[in-house]
Structure formats: structure tokens, C-alpha cells
Amino acid sequence: MNLSDRSDAVRKLMAAEGVDLLLAFSNGLHAIQAPDPVFHLSGYRPRDESALLLAADDAHLIATPAAEEERVRLRSAVTNCVAVKDLSAALGHFLPAPGMSLATVGLAGLRHDVVTRIDALLGKQAKRLDDPFHAATAWKTEEEIGFARRAAWIAEEGFAHLLEIARPGMKECDLAVALKLHMEALGADDNFLLLSALPHNKNVRPSSDRRLEPGDVVLAELTPTYRGQFAQICRTASIGAPSPVLAQKYALVVDAMQAGIRAVRPGATVADVCGAIDAVLTEAGYGELCRPPHMRRRGHGLGFGSTVPGDVAIDNHWRLEPDMIFVVHPNQYLPETGYLLCGEPVRVTASGVEVLSSRLAALGVAAG
Amino acid sequence: MSIDAGAALAPMHSAHLVGPYDWDASLLPRAEYDARLGTLLGIGEALGLAGIIVHGNPRDHGTLAWVSGLVPRMGMPAWAFLAKGHAPRLGLAGLPTPRQTWIEDMRLVRDLKQEIGDWLGAIGLASGKPARIGLCGAAALTEGAYQRLAAALGTIAIADDHYGPLAELRQVKSEREQGLIARAAAMLETAFAAFGAVRGSGLRKAAIEAKRAAYAAGAQDVVLLASLSDGGLPLPLDGIEEAESDPLHLSLAVRHAGYWARGLASFGTANSAAAACAAAALSGLIELMRPRLSVASLTVAAPKLLGAYRAHPLTAAGAAAGIGLSLEEFPSEPNTPLVAGGVYALRVGAAGEGGDQALASAMIALNADGAHVLWRSSAPGRSLSP
């Protein structure tokens, strides 16, 4: 499967919905939980607000700012591409389109004033097609799967580097910067890198100026992108030798993660994956901690393009399909140890699951 | 052809920022924020506003940082809720980062409508009661956020800031702010030097070393754009770029304690004449700078300083822009006068034939006694271009 197949899948959806022209928008902000339909269809990661216009036999990409002209031509699989100063003015060359049935994806992510201008061009008839669009394009291409494997490798190398360099006295933020640059040198083009530490963590937080101390438990969500495709591993490391209870409880959350991974197969629901994790932790006596407000999700989709299948949560009944990619992470607070992170990126295969990382999470130990 | 340099040099937004973002009271004490908040709420009171909501997201969070010190780090928006006589609140769509700000009440916002409703109740406003609320940072609001905001406010009217009186306030930097920008400018120099030191070993490696040097010097964030082809406009590096173009135009921006410094420079083997011309033109522009002069005047003057060279497209449309908590600040209108206390990024480019082209830039603190150079890419007798 490739980007052309993805456009074909969208065109099939458009035909079923009676849509002649689909306008897919990106706001260029790149939040980990927000999909980017322009990147998803073209492979071009927008720097600012951009649109991809898809018709039955034609496609155009309009990027902003105008200075993106060279880059959009280098990166976009859609060959009719242009970079302009004003997105809504450029859309004025295509709209209004009398007699055509229109639909949009990603419009709510654009700036309010831009949407006001675009709405005037679209008229009132344009459908919002976000959910069906993401459902029809939930799978990753062969190239994106390769990029996700590469990103997972980079993340693992990042954690290995953490174990090498983390030591008492080092600031969390300095460690995070060192890891980010290390992964960038290995090919990462962005990174959602959460890293924090305390002897007893209530959660994982963005890095601060706090200095590591012996006995700290370091939590890290290492989430590099390679060519715009995320992979995430969640890891925990002890500064100095871990206590027996920490080692024991970490083994428990790894067991829970493995149960979740075993539940990944085509036809299963995301809730099944979450339920398998919860079952292990409930059996160990932590059932209360498996429910809100203590627990919200056990993983999530991995963009930038599509974030399907969404949060790995007990109320998410999205059915898994081959070549979906997401992260399974129990990431559980336990009273004896505090919050613990373990998680692996997975791909749904034709018959089961491929774990994209080469080594499953194990409690790391850095110099104390 | 000319292009909007502010847009052209905008960063590729990152999914998460990892530098040192904790509030350092020794750099910006609580008293400075108290004064800013008092001023802002005083403006609001004069305008008949019952409270002020300040919005920020990765694209634009200058005003949010001005009142709170907070930079949204996770690709998602943040909000400050301010009203006279009530403790300020911060709401983040991402994970709370309480060490980043002086504001003690920080909340995770899962439902913006509910959060705003809760705040309105706390300050004695129920939706339906006639009132006006001020909104800062409206230009960056997404449609989705705007609709949730409007639904939460009900019949309460929104007064959009449109960079009005607050813009004038933010343009004038205190001595402390100028000091922080000067520190950022020193980090900028460190980053340029690191890039230059490893040039020739691959673009990605040089970019990483520039960032490493800036972070080691205390930077919070580093934005690097570089030519992907010979003489091409500086662009984000998100591919497998290794080859170094010739000439290579480099844009570096460094943030320290919330404040930015930015510079443009060119490296090349056949652009020494253009580089000398751009450096001389830059010196000429620096000499011209004074309070009450407009950016438009500088932009008109620049080509006259380039002799036989044409103005480079990147700098032809605007020779200067304010800089501070935002990369591209005031004046947003070219005819607005520069002010004493303002800090500006000056830029000029000389374009000759083929690869004979170069960019030069400077960071200028403009005070009543004249222009003070915080950083410059090149000077007579010193050039970043070999």
C-alpha cells in the first residue's frame, strides 16, 4: 500500500458520500494527538496552514508560506503543488465550485479568521468528513511502516543513551536535550520526548530544571519521528540500583503490557487491548487504579498523518485492521512505587501483531 | 519578487519542546509580572472589560508569555484567565507544567467550555449576564477553540485585542528584558560559531552542533533553517539533508528565558563580494536607526546601500522587525515608528549574478541615545563567510 492507494481509498469514500471535491486542511501545529490530513495524503509536513484538494481525477496541494515553494516540491507526492502567501485567496481560484458537492477534513484546526474566509467560499453545503476520512485511511503505507520501524530503533538507541549518560546532579531538561539531539543525529526529525524523575512519581511531566538524585525513578516517553512518522517507547530507569519492590512491580506492568500486545489482532477492538492490560493489573489487586480518574488511556495512535485508532481506552470500540500502528503502554501508578512507564509501538498484521521495537521494556538502571 | 520574511523564517513547530523552561525568578521576578498584570487589567478596566482571557499556542504565545512566563510546549494551546481582584488562572490542553510560571493556579483543560464557565462563575459572571471579556492572542485561535470559547461565553461579548494598546506596551522592553535578549544574542553567536566550525562535515551534523552549543549556553529552544539548494531560501531540515549548498543561507533563532534572538548569515565560496556589500549595507542601516523612524524608511533605504547589487527577495519587503517574546513582533505595520526601548532584528541581502548573493543581519536595542548592536552577522574585518 502506498500514498496513491490512500488517495484511492479517499476517492472511494467520496464516491460513496456523493462528494466531488474534498478539501483536506492542516494547521501546521503538529500536536502528537492531532492528525494532519495534508501530510497523510501527500507526505509533505506543512510549516503553516495548508490545503490539499482531491477530486476524482485530480489533486492539488496549496502550502503556506510562499517560501515553502522549494520544500513542498521536494517533499510532496502530489505533483500539482504551490506555495502561497494567503491560503484562502489561493482557494479562491478553485472555489466557489457551482454544481460540485464539497466536503472538508481538518477545517476546525485552522485559525478562526481563515475559516471565516474559507466558509464564505465553501458556502453552507460542505460536509465535514473528518471521521469517515480517518476511518478509511487508518492503515499506514509500506513506506510509513518502514519509517515507524526506523523511529522505534532510534527511540531504543535514545533510551540506551539515557542509561549511559544519566547521573545524579544532571538536570532533567539537560538530559532531555541530550537525548533529543542524540536521536536527531540518528535521523529523528521531531520528538515528543517527555522525561521527568522523582523518587515517587505521580505521573510523567515535561522536563524541568530539577536535578536527578540517587533513588530517582526516571520516566521517559521517547517518541521520535522519522520522515514524519512517530514511534513511541515508554521506559523507566532507576538512578542507582532499584529496590526489590520497584523491580517486582515493574515486572507486573510489563506483564500487563504483554497481555495487551497479545490482544492486538485484526478484528479485535481497542477496548479489548485495554481490557487485557486492566485484567492483569486487576488480578494483582489494582482494579481501582485502572479506572478514571487514575487511568485514562493505555496507549494511543501515532501520527503525524493519522492518529487512528485513537486512545487505547476501555470505551474505544474501534476495530483493529492490518497495518494500523499505535503504542501499547500500561503506564500505571502503583502506590508502592509511583508511576511506571512501559510501552511498545505495534503494528496490526494480517494475523496478529508486530512489535516494532526490538527489545521489550525492562527496568533500566543508570549510574547512581 | 519579494516575500514576507517573517512568514518565510517561521519555525517548523515541534511536537514538544524540551529545553529549560522553568521560571527563574532571578531573571524575571514576580514583581515584573505583577506590574504587567496590573497594567493589562488596568487597560481592561478602562475599556469596561470584566476580565481578560489570554490565549497562546505554539504559533503565537507572546502575550501569554508576557503575563505568565508560560510557553506552550506540547503543540497544544494554553489560556490565562485574568480578572481584577481574583487570583489568575492558567489552563493547559497538555500536561500541567507548574514550574514554568509564577501563576499558582494551573489546570489541565479537557473541556474548555467547562473551564471557562467555571472561571466566569468564580469572577461573578454567569453567561447571560451582560458583560464584555477581553481576548488577547485571538489571531492564533483555531476555529475549534473559537467555537468552544464562544459557546462558553454565551451572550458575553468578546473584545479582541488586535494588538492594540498591549502591542505598544510590549514593544518597549525594560532594561531587564533587554538584558535577557542580549543573553539570547550571545547564545546566537555561540550557535553560529559552532555551525561554522563543523561546516563541511554535513548539513545535519553542523545543524546539530549549532543547537548543542546554544543549549549548552542556556538556550531554551533553537530554530534552524538552511538552504536546501545553492542559494535557496532557508528552510526546515526534516529530510535526510547532508549536502551543504553553496551559497548556504542560514537562519538561526535562539530563545532564552522566553526571549528570542535571531540572525541570518550566508556561507559560500563565491559570494565574498556580495557578503562585503551586505555587511556594508547593514552598517549603513544600523547608522540610520533611531526612534520614530519607520521600518518602511529602512526598507526603502536598504537598496540604496547595496550599490550594484539587487535586494535579496528575502529582505526586500522588510528590513526590520521587532523581536522579543515573539520571533516577529511589532511594528506589524511598516509605517509604525520604531521606539526607544524596542529591540529589532535588522536584515539585508545583496543579490548579484549566480551564487554571488549574501544575507546579513543584526540584533539592535534601540534606546534614546541610539542603536546598540547586540549581535551582527558580519562586520568590516570579520565575516562568517570564508
Side-chain angles (χ1 to χ4, degrees), chain B residues 16-161:
Chain B
H16 185 45
L17 302 174
V18 294
Y21 281 91
D22 285 7
W23 170 45
D24 184 341
S26 70
L27 299 179
L28 273 168
R30 168 73 183 262
E32 181 125 355
Y33 287 110
D34 284 340
R36 293 175 184 181
L37 190 59
T39 304
L40 178 59
L41 290 175
I43 292 172
E45 194 172 45
L47 293 170
L49 304 176
I52 295 176
I53 298 176
V54 183
H55 164 260
N57 69 13
R59 179 171 287 122
D60 184 1
H61 46 260
T63 304
L64 181 72
W66 188 76
V67 295
S68 70
L70 185 80
V71 172
R73 295 167 61 183
M74 299 177 66
M76 288 174 268
W79 311 77
F81 302 103
L82 312 170
K84 210 159 191 176
H86 298 271
R89 290 186 187 183
L90 273 172
L92 273 79
L95 294 170
T97 52
R99 293 169 66 123
Q100 250 190 271
T101 175
W102 65 275
I103 294 178
E104 291 165 6
D105 186 349
M106 178 181 275
R107 300 156 180 230
L108 169 63
V109 175
R110 291 200 197 285
D111 182 337
L112 181 61
K113 186 178 172 188
Q114 184 182 324
E115 190 63 40
I116 292 174
D118 184 52
W119 174 67
L120 291 173
I123 64 170
L125 284 179
S127 69
K129 186 176 173 183
R132 284 204 316 151
I133 292 288
L135 176 62
C136 298
L141 260 183
T142 64
E143 173 67 4
Y146 178 85
Q147 294 300 344
R148 288 190 290 277
L149 176 74
L153 292 177
T155 56
I156 296 173
I158 303 170
D160 190 332
D161 64 344

Side-chain angles (χ1 to χ4, degrees), chain A residues 291-342:
Chain A
R291 290 186 283 275
H294 307 289
M295 174 51 57
R296 194 167 61 88
R297 62 181 185 174
R298 302 288 192 188
H300 48 80
L302 292 165
F304 285 120
S306 168
T307 54
V308 170
D311 286 353
V312 178
I314 207 70
D315 58 354
N316 183 351
H317 300 288
W318 199 293
R319 209 160 282 285
L320 298 178
E321 300 166 29
D323 293 336
M324 283 182 175
I325 286 179
F326 58 103
V327 59
V328 177
H329 64 47
N331 291 3
Q332 180 69 51
Y333 176 80
L334 299 175
E336 299 88 341
T337 58
Y339 201 62
L340 300 176
L341 293 190
C342 75

Side-chain angles (χ1 to χ4, degrees), chain A:
Chain A
M1 302 286 247
N2 57 32
L3 286 179
S4 177
D5 296 321
R6 183 170 290 152
S7 289
D8 288 347
V10 176
R11 287 187 170 110
K12 204 169 157 186
L13 168 70
M14 290 164 60
E17 295 278 342
V19 170
D20 301 312
L21 180 64
L22 177 78
L23 296 97
F25 294 102
S26 165
N27 63 13
L29 291 180
H30 312 306
I32 189 172
Q33 292 172 304
D36 188 324
V38 171
F39 178 77
H40 203 40
L41 290 173
S42 70
Y44 164 72
R45 184 180 173 194
R47 190 153 46 127
D48 207 327
E49 293 176 332
S50 302
L52 195 148
L53 284 66
L54 193 69
D57 55 358
D58 201 7
H60 290 261
L61 198 163
I62 305 170
T64 66
E68 282 287 281
E69 187 74 30
E70 179 182 0
R71 197 172 149 267
V72 70
R73 292 191 186 285
L74 280 171
R75 302 277 185 264
S76 171
V78 174
T79 52
N80 292 324
C81 50
V82 64
V84 300
K85 183 179 179 184
D86 185 327
L87 180 62
S88 51
L91 285 171
H93 294 293
F94 296 89
L95 300 173
M100 291 185 88
S101 172
L102 307 179
T104 66
V105 175
L107 189 64
L110 301 188
R111 279 175 285 206
H112 169 62
D113 64 321
V114 175
V115 172
T116 302
R117 293 199 295 276
I118 292 176
D119 266 344
L121 295 169
L122 290 172
K124 297 291 178 195
Q125 289 76 26
K127 297 183 190 181
R128 300 273 173 117
L129 216 58
D130 293 73
D131 289 344
F133 172 89
H134 293 299
T137 61
W139 43 268
K140 304 295 185 190
T141 67
E142 281 175 32
E143 191 174 48
E144 288 163 348
I145 292 165
F147 292 163
R149 290 189 185 112
R150 180 74 180 177
W153 173 80
I154 291 170
E156 291 187 275
E157 291 296 311
F159 185 60
H161 194 56
L162 181 155
L163 298 180
E164 282 172 21
I165 66 172
R167 62 197 65 254
M170 193 174 197
K171 290 180 180 175
E172 286 174 7
C173 57
D174 290 343
L175 177 58
V177 164
L179 296 181
K180 180 179 176 174
L181 293 176
H182 183 74
M183 288 185 268
E184 191 171 331
L186 297 174
D189 40 58
D190 201 348
N191 209 320
F192 184 86
L193 175 57
L194 278 180
L195 185 151
S196 60
L198 281 172
H200 188 101
N201 292 284
K202 290 284 174 63
N203 51 26
V204 61
R205 308 170 312 282
S207 307
S208 74
D209 284 347
R210 182 184 177 275
R211 293 182 186 277
L212 301 181
E213 296 175 7
D216 271 357
V217 177
V218 181
L219 304 176
E221 290 195 2
L222 301 115
T223 323
T225 57
Y226 184 78
R227 310 297 290 271
Q229 175 59 54
F230 277 116
Q232 181 176 84
I233 64 169
C234 301
R235 294 291 186 265
T236 301
S238 168
I239 300 293
S243 66
V245 70
L246 178 60
Q248 179 200 348
K249 297 300 177 187
Y250 198 73
L252 172 66
V253 291
V254 172
D255 281 349
M257 178 185 72
Q258 288 182 298
I261 292 171
R262 282 194 298 272
V264 176
R265 60 183 176 277
T269 66
V270 176
D272 293 335
V273 178
C274 186
I277 294 169
D278 288 351
V280 173
L281 293 163
T282 300
E283 173 70 22
Y286 298 110
E288 185 62 29
L289 296 174
C290 293
R291 290 186 283 275
H294 307 289
M295 174 51 57
R296 194 167 61 88
R297 62 181 185 174
R298 302 288 192 188
H300 48 80
L302 292 165
F304 285 120
S306 168
T307 54
V308 170
D311 286 353
V312 178
I314 207 70
D315 58 354
N316 183 351
H317 300 288
W318 199 293
R319 209 160 282 285
L320 298 178
E321 300 166 29
D323 293 336
M324 283 182 175
I325 286 179
F326 58 103
V327 59
V328 177
H329 64 47
N331 291 3
Q332 180 69 51
Y333 176 80
L334 299 175
E336 299 88 341
T337 58
Y339 201 62
L340 300 176
L341 293 190
C342 75
E344 310 298 339
V346 299
R347 174 178 77 97
V348 185
T349 65
S351 58
V353 61
E354 173 194 358
V355 179
L356 298 177
S357 43
S358 63
R359 299 176 296 276
L360 288 188
L363 184 62
V365 180

Side-chain angles (χ1 to χ4, degrees), chain B residues 273-274 276-282 300-311 348-352:
Chain B
C277 176
L282 183 66
V300 168
K304 297 170 187 164
L305 298 167
L306 291 170
Y309 284 87
R310 301 182 305 278
V348 64

